[in-house]
Amino acid sequence: MDNLKALYNAWCKIPDKIRFLFIGGVNAAISYIIFALALFLIGEKHYQICVILQWTISSVFSYFNQKFFVFCTKGNYLKEYLKCCSTWAVSYFLNVIILELLVRFAIKNVYLSQFISIFLVSVVTYVLFKYFAFKVHKKVE
């Protein structure tokens, strides 16, 4: 148990941007797989419904990954989860807008458009998570 705790503490000392790239990459891959699977099952013309499914399912997994493995916060579960919901709402709407613009006016391929959209939205999500959802207030001494 002590080895696991030491490993976790060492992980949390890695800069959060690096942790986010790794964990965010895992989260993005899971999100994209959910999207692609839903798109395959429901059909490409319903890609916006697939985005809703993707965000709904992947958000819970993402919350725990962000909390424990990116920002390494303790406690404040409900408060942080509610802030994450706000972050996901912003991210979702950005995703929907970018995806729609890419599909209608640029790339036309739903799979590639969503891949690009997830990547672009990830940058905004990181900033919102770091400075809003998982913001750690330093104690004044």
Side-chain angles (χ1 to χ4, degrees), residues 68-106:
F68 295 114
F69 299 114
V70 175
F71 299 103
C72 301
T73 63
K74 293 180 170 95
N76 301 317
Y77 292 93
L78 182 59
K79 182 179 178 182
E80 288 176 346
Y81 183 75
L82 293 175
K83 286 182 173 185
C84 280
C85 289
S86 300
T87 298
W88 291 318
V90 171
S91 298
Y92 167 77
F93 285 113
L94 286 173
N95 187 170
V96 167
I97 291 166
I98 293 168
L99 177 61
E100 193 65 30
L101 292 172
L102 290 173
V103 168
R104 285 186 186 253
F105 303 111

Side-chain angles (χ1 to χ4, degrees), residues 47-64:
Y47 61 90
Q48 292 294 2
I49 292 170
C50 296
V51 173
I52 292 169
L53 290 171
Q54 167 210 325
W55 279 93
T56 303
I57 295 167
S58 67
S59 63
V60 174
F61 183 75
S62 175
Y63 166 73
F64 288 105

Side-chain angles (χ1 to χ4, degrees), residues 8 10 32 36 57 59 67 92 118 122 133 140-141:
Y8 180 74
Y32 186 78
I57 295 167
S59 63
K67 177 170 184 53
Y92 167 77
I118 287 173
S122 294
V140 179
E141 294 183 30

